[in-house]
Amino acid sequence: MKTIYYGHSCFSVELKGKTVLFDPFISGNEKARHIDIASINPDYILITHGHADHVADVLQIAQQSGATLVSNFEVINWFASQGYDKGHPMNHGGRWEFDFGTVQYVNAVHSSSMPDGSYGGNPGGFIITSNDDCIYVSGDTALTMDMKIFGEMNTIDTAFLCIGDNFTMGAVEAVTAAQWVKAGQVFGLHFDTFGYIEIDHAATLDLFAQKSMPFILPEIGKEYEL
Ligand code: NI
Ligand code: MN
């Protein structure tokens, strides 16, 4: 599964020939200055919640690509109110079969408001099953017992987990989250972008190594084969 990391919680995966982009926040990320937003043309944009550091570049990328937005009901309605109505609303626990795979919107423990302060529904994550790949994208979240259910009901190959602490779980909790969802490997997100979430790379790598959990600390702009 070809995966490109664009910084913070933004990355894309290729599933069944479709490009699926998550949580675009690039123009506001000082560390992602070398990323050319105009070159990102996904078929879908999946949005975990309404915070600006997850939606800032949704409109630009959607307008240039014609991508379908997938998120909770309130986030999709907000983008419709901004003039982009090509969206698919979901809510927690529900699944939908898209042409790139089956998506379930799942619980996250966090908050969600849109950049203008309007209600952003409840925050979530995604579990996507597509051919031989099953991925879990946590979104911004604390460690939560729900993750045990995700592990019971799915065979998750790669878990994309927030690890930056302060606003979300940190690496200590993310290691446990990885074990609870029974992940084959972990791809770290939501770290180093701002002062509040700067992490110690060596210590983070060591935490995952201690539990023998395969772990990728991605570089912005780099492509990975997962
Ligand atoms: Ni957030
Ligand atoms: Mn965030």
Side-chain angles (χ1 to χ4, degrees):
M1 184 182 66
K2 181 180 153 185
T3 303
I4 302 173
Y5 183 54
Y6 294 112
H8 201 51
S9 289
C10 183
F11 65 99
S12 68
V13 295
E14 300 284 325
L15 297 168
K16 294 189 183 177
K18 304 288 179 187
T19 303
V20 182
L21 182 74
F22 294 84
D23 287 356
F25 170 72
I26 299 163
S27 59
N29 183 354
E30 290 289 335
K31 300 203 156 91
R33 278 290 144 92
H34 56 297
I35 301 296
D36 176 19
I37 297 177
S39 71
I40 302 174
N41 284 293
D43 299 287
Y44 293 87
I45 303 174
L46 272 59
I47 305 160
T48 59
H49 65 297
H51 288 159
D53 62 315
H54 299 256
V55 307
D57 297 312
V58 167
L59 271 180
Q60 182 185 337
I61 295 172
Q63 279 158 354
Q64 75 194 16
S65 63
T68 300
L69 311 185
V70 180
S71 188
N72 70 35
F73 184 78
E74 289 81 4
V75 168
I76 292 300
N77 280 349
W78 186 81
F79 279 106
S81 78
Q82 304 295 301
Y84 197 83
D85 61 2
K86 193 175 171 189
H88 180 107
M90 298 186 75
N91 219 324
H92 299 82
R95 285 195 190 83
W96 187 263
E97 217 170 288
F98 294 89
D99 57 4
F100 63 89
T102 301
V103 175
Q104 185 178 33
Y105 190 62
V106 296
N107 294 353
V109 176
H110 191 63
S111 57
S112 178
S113 50
M114 306 312 302
D116 63 1
S118 58
Y119 179 54
N122 286 314
F126 296 101
I127 295 173
I128 302 172
T129 309
S130 175
N131 288 344
D132 293 336
D133 293 306
C134 180
I135 66 172
Y136 166 53
V137 180
S138 72
D140 286 3
T141 185
L143 179 68
T144 165
M145 293 295 278
D146 291 301
M147 292 166 180
K148 291 195 173 185
I149 300 172
F150 308 156
E152 281 300 310
M153 298 196 65
N154 303 276
T155 304
I156 293 166
D157 303 305
T158 306
F160 294 81
L161 303 177
C162 47
I163 59 170
D165 223 327
N166 191 68
F167 295 119
T168 70
M169 62 183 173
V172 171
E173 291 77 23
V175 171
T176 300
Q179 293 175 320
W180 286 359
V181 303
K182 301 176 189 166
Q185 62 183 342
V186 173
F187 191 100
L189 298 173
H190 213 271
F191 64 95
D192 283 354
T193 319
F194 324 108
Y196 288 120
I197 61 173
E198 274 169 12
I199 63 168
D200 179 330
H201 288 206
T204 301
L205 290 164
D206 192 48
L207 277 172
F208 282 89
Q210 278 172 23
K211 301 292 181 185
S212 302
M213 177 59 69
F215 174 64
I216 296 162
L217 195 54
E219 287 172 40
I220 300 174
K222 197 171 164 192
E223 184 180 317
Y224 296 84
E225 182 59 40
L226 303 180

